[in-house]
Amino acid sequence: MKNPIKEDYLELLDSILEHDRAYYVNNAPQISDDQYDTLIEWVKAFEAQYPEEIVPYSPTQRVGSSLSGDRPTFKHSIPMLSLDNVFSAEELFAWIEKTQSATSIQLPLSCELKYDGVAVALIYEAGVLVRALSRGDGEVGQDLTPQVRVIKNVPLRLTKAATLEIRGEVVMPKQALKDYNEKYPQATLANCRNGASGALNQNNPADTAKRNLAFYPYQVVGAANSQDQEVLSLKELGFSAHYPDWLPSNDLDTIKRQLEHYQSERARVPFDIDGIVFKVNNHDIRQELGFTGRAPRWAIAYKFPAEQKQTLLKRVEFQVGRTGAITPVAKLHPISCGGVTISSVTLHNEDEIKRLGLTQGCSVIVQRAGDVIPQITGIVEGTNIGKPISMPELCPCCNGPVEKNNATLSCTSPSCHAQLQRYIEHFAGKKGLDIDGLGPKTIAELIRSEAVKSPYDLMTLNTGKMYLCGTVLTKNQMNKLIASIEKAKKPTLPKFIHALGIPLVGEGTSKRLAKAFPTIPKLLEARLEDFMAVDDIGKDTAEAISKWMSSYANYEWVYEVHANVLTIEDPNPQSMSDLLSGQAWCVTGTLHSMKRSEAQAKLEELGATIVSGVSKNTTVLLAGEKAGSKLAKAEALGITIYTEDMFNELVEA
């Protein structure tokens, strides 16, 4: 029997959701604030009496309880990639010409605001928000659900009972930043982007809510329609979405006028934007163009020119990195530029100092490259009258000998504490073994007391050794550190390889190495030709890896720590098949029994390689409904085509 009171409750929630859309999405409130508050109070009264009837999209569920610092992570349905950037109309024009040449169809391009915020993916099941994820490393994101639920223009329930994923940007509006800084002067935020990022890092969602964030979507994952239809569907689902403009012509003069228009309008937009995103409108053509390793080929971000300021160069300091490289760092009189205070700028090497013509006490022009990285672009004319800046003749940390290789100056002393400090910081950092409680000060103390002379010493550290070496850490600090080290002794192979700090080896290359050499001994035994044979590893990177591995000191501690300390965990513990080993599969169209991402995961479990486009190297095309141009291309090339039923028979066999 239906509960009439609950039916009233559900009808009232529908009404509140509609009022939320009217207020936060359409900017056209239908009732007064007092009337809205009365509706909320009725909901609270019902939920207090019938707590078992509370539904997840109730407005009372926006703010949950506080969380611990450890948040779960989840794999993205498809990689959450970033965009490649261009910084001039000429570069943008070159990208358009290159993209146009890759397809025979005329490319209609859309132009959208590039939000200066934090990328987030929202997952809805039957129309209800169930999870929000950060971009993370592009493949795995951190759970931000409690923090995102407090954002008022994020629908807790869509207007349709759809199961889908929405990607977009969380921003802190300019007025919200101003209001927050006036209300909390003791915790002033530097800029809108920092405000949004910091809000999502709050463990208590109530603290996130104080910053009045907003969410603007830009993608429905897996959508098969065009960009303008996609934006229309986002609005119909209940989101705040900005309609794209269209590039009326692809000639250089029109592009320049379009960019000038957007830049002139930049100050009028209610939130920070740092550029314009140009996208191919047609989704079939997008599938044909595909992706690079880190970005789609069918979209590009034009970044606005950076704001420039003048300030005084106080001095140049020299820092020693984990590989021994000595880097000059300019210490400046603090200046606000692009919403942040700049007081230090990396100068890279001696050639950069000479190119800029820096002298002691000169005035310099600074900017944030790409609105992110501080850089010195030049000096103020007539101020370079002091003593020229020169590189050190000895290591600034250990006074050891230095060696110059091309433009790089390096310390060659194997006992340099600065190198060990930076190396341990990387090895134990978030992207390394992620050892909690091991900050720069603690590392410096462990090195000073000689409790740690190598990564092996760190991984075999115990309280007895720290006491014996006279470390000044407290007993509580020691116990916490040992517990963190124990926790870090079970890394995945890609994470451990990245922690090694091999020159030119980032997270992506670490994953490729782990796939090619699935154990530490196999990696240690590999030679230069083995590294060069790995897909997407070039000659320079292969030579850097080979040189690092050929060092006896590196070989010895890696072998010892692997043999005596670590347990390498398999990130994919399920048994892997080699049924489709060596085959390249492309998945396209709409599948009914599963998502495309799920089909791709099943194929990878069977040993197949997933490719984004159809070419002569493609082995099989899995074609669902509305397969589009990829199906026609596969047929023309004589590539094997699987229907969804054929695929299900294969994976269930």
Side-chain angles (χ1 to χ4, degrees):
M1 183 176 178
K2 293 184 178 180
N3 182 345
I5 300 179
K6 183 179 179 181
E7 288 186 348
D8 290 344
Y9 165 70
L10 294 176
E11 287 182 11
L12 183 56
L13 290 183
D14 288 342
S15 177
I16 290 173
L17 290 172
E18 186 59 41
H19 288 308
D20 283 346
R21 281 190 288 274
Y23 187 92
Y24 295 110
V25 177
N26 301 327
N27 198 26
Q30 299 171 340
I31 58 175
S32 69
D33 289 348
D34 288 342
Q35 290 172 312
Y36 182 86
D37 290 342
T38 300
L39 300 181
I40 296 294
E41 289 305 316
W42 195 98
V43 168
K44 288 180 179 178
F46 173 87
E47 292 178 347
Q49 187 173 357
Y50 303 102
E52 71 281 359
E53 302 287 2
I54 297 175
V55 295
Y57 55 86
S58 167
T60 64
Q61 301 305 296
R62 281 199 180 271
V63 180
S65 59
S66 295
L67 305 171
S68 68
D70 295 327
R71 301 181 190 176
T73 57
F74 296 89
K75 188 172 182 178
H76 289 298
S77 57
I78 61 172
M80 197 168 178
L81 304 176
S82 55
L83 295 175
D84 286 333
N85 297 321
V86 293
F87 299 91
S88 69
E90 287 74 17
E91 286 180 297
L92 176 59
F93 186 66
W95 173 83
I96 292 173
E97 287 193 317
K98 179 182 177 182
T99 306
Q100 179 66 68
S101 67
T103 178
S104 58
I105 304 172
Q106 182 64 32
L107 296 177
L109 295 178
S110 66
C111 318
E112 299 177 13
L113 304 178
K114 186 177 184 300
Y115 310 101
D116 193 10
V118 181
V120 169
L122 308 183
I123 294 92
Y124 288 85
E125 293 181 1
V128 177
L129 178 66
V130 295
R131 186 171 297 131
L133 297 178
S134 68
R135 184 196 301 277
D137 65 0
E139 294 190 2
V140 175
Q142 190 177 54
D143 189 357
L144 299 177
T145 310
Q147 289 75 18
V148 169
R149 288 178 71 87
V150 305
I151 301 174
K152 294 294 181 63
N153 73 335
V154 169
L156 299 182
R157 192 186 71 179
L158 303 176
T159 58
K160 299 177 182 178
T163 296
L164 45 74
E165 179 179 341
I166 308 293
R167 291 181 177 177
E169 201 92 355
V170 171
V171 301
M172 188 173 191
K174 296 173 184 176
Q175 187 60 47
L177 177 72
K178 181 180 178 182
D179 294 343
Y180 184 88
N181 284 342
E182 289 177 355
K183 190 171 183 179
Y184 304 102
Q186 73 282 4
T188 301
L189 300 171
N191 55 52
C192 293
R193 192 184 192 286
N194 288 357
S197 177
L200 294 179
N201 282 326
Q202 298 293 324
N203 286 330
N204 188 346
D207 292 330
T208 305
K210 293 176 182 177
R211 302 196 186 182
N212 290 319
L213 305 181
F215 174 80
Y216 293 98
Y218 50 69
Q219 180 186 10
V220 181
V221 174
N225 47 15
S226 60
Q227 184 67 17
D228 52 342
Q229 293 171 325
E230 190 172 333
V231 172
L232 182 61
S233 70
L234 284 166
K235 289 205 168 192
E236 290 174 345
L237 290 169
F239 286 95
S240 306
H242 292 275
Y243 281 106
D245 289 335
W246 304 105
L247 194 60
S249 171
N250 291 354
D251 66 86
L252 184 56
D253 289 339
T254 302
I255 290 170
K256 286 182 176 179
R257 286 195 297 271
Q258 196 85 353
L259 297 180
E260 289 169 359
H261 162 72
Y262 276 118
Q263 189 144 356
S264 67
E265 294 294 312
R266 183 179 186 182
R268 298 185 180 92
V269 179
F271 43 83
D272 280 350
I273 58 174
D274 58 353
I276 302 300
V277 177
F278 290 81
K279 295 180 180 178
V280 173
N281 185 44
N282 186 286
H283 282 221
D284 286 338
I285 300 178
R286 288 185 186 182
Q287 285 195 342
E288 182 180 338
L289 292 170
F291 300 82
T292 65
R294 59 175 296 276
R297 291 191 177 94
W298 43 263
I300 200 79
Y302 167 81
K303 300 295 288 291
F304 290 134
E307 177 186 9
Q308 294 187 334
K309 291 287 185 70
Q310 294 182 15
T311 189
L312 179 70
L313 173 66
K314 296 164 65 175
R315 62 187 181 278
V316 173
E317 296 180 354
F318 298 92
Q319 296 181 352
V320 183
R322 59 184 167 86
T323 62
I326 299 172
T327 303
V329 178
K331 295 297 180 179
L332 310 175
H333 182 77
I335 185 75
S336 177
C337 182
V340 300
T341 299
I342 298 175
S343 59
S344 293
V345 175
T346 299
L347 295 171
H348 305 295
N349 53 43
E350 184 176 18
D351 288 353
E352 181 76 353
I353 294 175
K354 290 179 178 178
R355 183 185 70 80
L356 292 169
L358 297 179
T359 61
Q360 293 180 7
C362 67
S363 293
V364 296
I365 301 168
V366 297
Q367 69 178 26
R368 294 175 66 210
D371 278 345
V372 178
I373 303 171
Q375 68 176 179
I376 295 176
T377 62
I379 62 172
V380 178
E381 188 176 355
T383 66
N384 58 335
I385 56 177
K387 184 178 178 181
I389 305 295
S390 59
M391 297 294 285
E393 297 180 356
L394 297 173
C395 173
C397 171
C398 67
N399 286 324
V402 297
E403 178 182 83
K404 189 172 183 181
N405 183 16
N406 295 324
T408 303
L409 190 70
S410 299
C411 170
T412 59
S413 172
S415 59
C416 179
H417 280 192
Q419 291 184 55
L420 181 58
Q421 170 84 25
R422 302 289 179 267
Y423 191 90
I424 297 296
E425 286 177 8
H426 171 83
F427 183 78
K430 287 288 183 185
K431 293 186 177 181
L433 296 193
D434 194 12
I435 301 177
D436 289 335
L438 194 60
K441 290 184 179 179
T442 302
I443 294 172
E445 171 55 24
L446 293 172
I447 294 173
R448 182 206 63 77
S449 63
E450 298 189 345
V452 169
K453 298 179 182 178
S454 72
Y456 183 81
D457 288 341
L458 175 66
M459 299 309 292
T460 56
L461 198 61
N462 55 53
T463 53
K465 185 175 182 180
M466 284 188 276
Y467 277 122
L468 188 63
C469 292
T471 306
V472 297
L473 301 178
T474 66
K475 183 178 180 180
N476 187 43
Q477 287 175 319
M478 291 182 188
N479 289 336
K480 285 186 175 181
L481 178 56
I482 297 303
S484 296
I485 292 172
E486 287 300 316
K487 185 179 177 182
K489 288 180 180 179
K490 295 182 179 180
T492 62
L493 184 56
K495 200 168 184 66
F496 179 66
I497 293 173
H498 187 256
L500 297 180
I502 303 170
L504 304 183
V505 175
E507 291 177 284
T509 302
S510 297
K511 292 173 183 176
R512 287 188 280 274
L513 288 172
K515 187 175 181 180
F517 311 102
T519 66
I520 292 296
K522 288 187 176 181
L523 180 66
L524 291 174
E525 292 163 6
R527 297 293 178 261
L528 174 60
E529 56 270 22
D530 301 320
F531 298 126
M532 291 186 67
V534 179
D535 289 342
D536 296 325
I537 290 184
K539 182 182 177 183
D540 290 347
T541 302
E543 288 177 347
I545 300 168
S546 180
K547 181 179 179 181
W548 194 93
M549 291 293 178
S550 64
S551 163
Y552 179 76
N554 291 336
Y555 181 98
E556 184 179 38
W557 80 257
V558 172
Y559 181 86
E560 289 297 328
V561 80
H562 169 257
N564 302 317
V565 179
L566 296 183
T567 301
I568 301 295
E569 290 195 338
D570 185 352
N572 302 301
Q574 69 271 22
S575 60
M576 301 290 285
S577 167
D578 60 358
L579 178 66
L580 304 180
S581 178
Q583 297 187 17
W585 281 64
C586 178
V587 183
T588 189
T590 302
L591 303 178
H592 296 289
S593 59
M594 67 190 76
K595 296 178 181 177
R596 283 215 300 253
S597 59
E598 293 172 336
Q600 290 169 339
K602 287 180 180 290
L603 287 166
E604 288 179 329
E605 288 177 20
L606 295 173
T609 299
I610 305 302
V611 295
S612 59
V614 173
S615 70
K616 63 181 181 180
N617 297 320
T618 306
T619 310
V620 181
L621 175 71
L622 170 55
E625 286 187 6
K626 300 179 181 178
S629 59
K630 288 187 180 181
L631 177 58
K633 190 171 183 180
E635 289 173 338
L637 292 172
I639 292 168
T640 301
I641 298 168
Y642 266 55
T643 64
E644 185 172 357
D645 289 340
M646 293 167 64
F647 171 71
N648 287 332
E649 288 179 12
L650 172 70
V651 298
E652 291 170 6

